[in-house]
């Protein structure tokens, strides 16, 4: 299974590690490039922005958003929705 993770803080990063240990493929992005590099070195597909994120995920796409509550979550989900098509 492939899963995209937006947000590689304590929770998102640990989830990516667990998923990869079980053989899942992860596409990851974060506002901090060093976080992306860290998980890329562990085997994740790291991308720099949401356009690349959407392109790297195979259809049907599955994405998990683990960003701070409030404004960043709503903005991130809205921006991501513009890059995903229905279905």
């Amino acid at each position: 299974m492939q899963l995209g993770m937006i947000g590689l803080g304590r929770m998102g990063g640990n989830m990516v590690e667990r998923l990869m240990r079980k053989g899942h493929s992860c596409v990851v992005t974060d506002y901090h490039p060093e976080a992306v590099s860290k998980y890329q070195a562990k085997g994740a597909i790291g991308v720099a922005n949401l356009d690349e994120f959407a392109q790297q995920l195979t259809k049907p796409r599955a994405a998990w958003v683990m960003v701070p509550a409030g404004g960043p979550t709503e903005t991130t989900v809205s921006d991501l929705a513009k890059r995903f098509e229905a279905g």
Side-chain angles (χ1 to χ4, degrees), residues 14-65:
N14 284 329
M15 291 169 73
V16 166
E17 288 190 28
R18 287 187 188 112
L19 287 163
M20 290 192 307
R21 273 198 304 263
K22 295 295 183 179
H24 300 288
S25 171
C26 293
V27 177
V28 301
T29 191
D30 192 277
Y31 291 115
H32 303 287
E34 61 277 2
V36 175
S37 295
K38 174 183 175 181
Y39 291 97
Q40 217 171 356
K42 294 180 180 203
I45 300 166
V47 298
N49 57 57
L50 292 181
D51 289 327
E52 291 177 22
F53 183 80
Q55 290 171 358
Q56 288 294 324
L57 287 170
T58 56
K59 295 177 184 176
R61 297 177 182 121
W64 199 318
V65 179

Side-chain angles (χ1 to χ4, degrees), residues 64-82:
W64 199 318
V65 179
M66 290 298 271
V67 297
T73 302
E74 188 173 324
T75 301
T76 302
V77 170
S78 177
D79 289 347
L80 185 60
K82 293 173 189 171

